[in-house]
Amino acid sequence: MPTAKDAKFYTQILEKNKDIQDLLDNIQFDTQHGKIWFDENRMLLMHTHMMGYLRKDLCNMLGWERTKRFFIRCGYQAGIRDAEVTSRLRPNLNEAEAFMAGPQMHSIRGMVQVEVNRLELSHDNKKFYADFNWLNSFEAEVHLNEFGTADEPSCWMLLGYACGYTSLVMGQTIIYQETHCVAQGDDCCRIIGKPLEEWGNADELIQFMSPDPVSDELIALQAELNELKKNIYTDAESDYAMFNSVGESSSYRHVCDLLKKAAGSKVAVLLQGETGVGKEAFARGIHEGSSRKGQPFIAMNCASIPPDLIEAELFGVEKGAFTGAHQTRIGKFERANHGTIFLDEVIELSTRAQAALLRMLQEGEFERVGDYRTRHVDVRVVAATNEDLEQAVKAGRFRADLYYRLNIFPVMIPSLRERRDDIPLLIQHFLVRFENMYGKKIKGLSDKAKNFLMNYEWPGNIRELENLLERATLLTDHQQEIKLSHLFPQIKEDIETKLEKVNLDAVIQDGFCLEDHERQLISIAMQKVNHNVSEAARVLGISRAALDYRLKKQAIHGKKE
């Protein structure tokens, strides 16, 4: 049991930590876009009446106990979410001070005012005990308005929040019980919190944090339904699986429909679209969906080969054909015989290579560089470009006759910004890959990171998204969320550097007085934290002793003046 001295010690800590400015500073109202942010998590302002309506409606549909379980679990998840954020915001405070961010977030949200009767905690010793009063509970008020006086405590969501928040902070399962409730007619609500094993009815309590059996049944039924869908999968649906890409958007499916029709023929396909849209993935899909599946698929980026070597790469070279040709080497077309060749950036082909490719498309024959023998192959050609070939023809950069042979079946691959509905699926796809690659488990993305990815213009398309997520996975700790700073670690630093330079250039001019600016900064900091010297020192990034010295110096100078 704690001594009177221990209780006094905790009371002093909590009294000193009444200031919540550090939490308020992380709440941003983005009225231009209709969003509210707490750190990188999106928030809402709601009428409490709506919560009352929801509680009443759910009780009518699910019954009392299931509704209670639902609200407790919702609160539990909210508590975990806040604990993940606030633990980052208060890394340098002692255990009790840092812990109070949870009760303070309750107050900031307008949910309840928390009054501390007793708080004891020690991470190292796995000790925890809390006795709190809840004043002005929105949930008790809502319950009274909708149902009248209750027979049992009714602050379900608040209780779940306290359990979730404390469990994550303490690294062990902490359960609270509401011993008094305004909804029952008590003067105030009161909760007691301690480790699960210290409660006599632990098995009963932990059930409220576990999934509802009805939810389990629904999940099982959904899995069964999905299995049935697999068994009656239509040809039209299953054909999307042949493309080594991810998507469900209408633009993605339209492209899949077009390429499905092309896959069954021998016709040349021209894939057009911006860099990074996944043209090679679609080319592989054409190959896998054709009768040539099982035969070679050869990909070549024409832009990566020097112009004087492209012809040799495509059609092969005979020994001694030119300096450095020490042996005979077959080209890409011979390697792709009976299969498919994918020519990316086809616009980069040299004039000679364009002529040879035209002959190959028309006659199915070619000659190796330095050879007189004509060879025949059966190869399906899929070409791709991120430039307008028609304009290249007009500019004299590309043969018109070759363009018409390649443009028999043109398909425009949409950019990522044209298929934004697919971004969440692509994120999930890449995260699974990188989690396995780097041996990590990532808890998805923060709301702000998701919001950014959904609204970003994606000049580099899917390839850029893939690269961003790989880097973010590396920068994110195990069992943590990917934040915006993990996706773009250089942005904040660049902006801060530019702002610092602009501000200094503007400040340091003729008549600049360092002491005056120091006095103004200290005054602003003190006002911001309601003249709490320790907090002001933290805001200014100096020690309390250094701030005390400056305040005394300013006071002395003020008296002299």
Side-chain angles (χ1 to χ4, degrees), residues 340-466:
T340 304
I341 188 167
F342 172 59
L343 301 177
D344 199 7
E345 305 296 352
V346 70
I347 198 171
E348 299 296 333
L349 288 175
S350 66
T351 303
R352 282 178 55 88
Q354 288 181 37
L357 176 58
L358 177 63
R359 181 186 177 192
M360 176 66 228
L361 289 169
Q362 290 176 331
E363 310 296 338
E365 62 183 35
F366 66 94
E367 295 173 1
R368 291 177 184 167
V369 176
D371 192 14
Y372 59 89
R373 178 185 165 190
T374 298
R375 301 172 188 274
H376 294 266
V377 289
D378 175 20
V379 176
R380 167 72 168 285
V381 175
V382 179
T385 177
N386 63 347
E387 292 189 46
D388 189 332
L389 278 187
E390 188 173 1
Q391 291 299 319
V393 170
K394 292 177 180 178
R397 295 176 54 205
F398 202 80
R399 292 180 63 119
D401 46 5
L402 177 57
Y403 166 68
Y404 294 127
R405 290 291 302 184
L406 291 175
N407 200 44
I408 296 173
F409 201 98
V411 176
M412 178 63 70
I413 308 298
S415 64
L416 188 53
R417 59 185 170 277
E418 295 175 290
R419 44 180 294 210
R420 292 185 188 277
D421 292 348
D422 293 332
I423 291 176
L425 295 173
L426 289 162
I427 290 171
Q428 183 180 13
H429 170 76
F430 288 130
L431 282 185
V432 169
R433 179 199 299 177
F434 297 134
E435 282 177 335
N436 294 331
M437 186 182 298
Y438 296 111
K440 287 183 175 181
K441 183 62 180 175
I442 302 298
K443 289 186 174 181
L445 282 76
S446 72
D447 293 338
K448 187 164 283 189
K450 290 176 190 172
N451 181 72
F452 185 90
L453 295 186
M454 289 300 296
N455 292 285
Y456 183 55
E457 285 303 301
W458 297 112
N461 290 291
I462 294 175
R463 187 179 301 129
E464 184 181 10
L465 174 62
E466 181 180 7

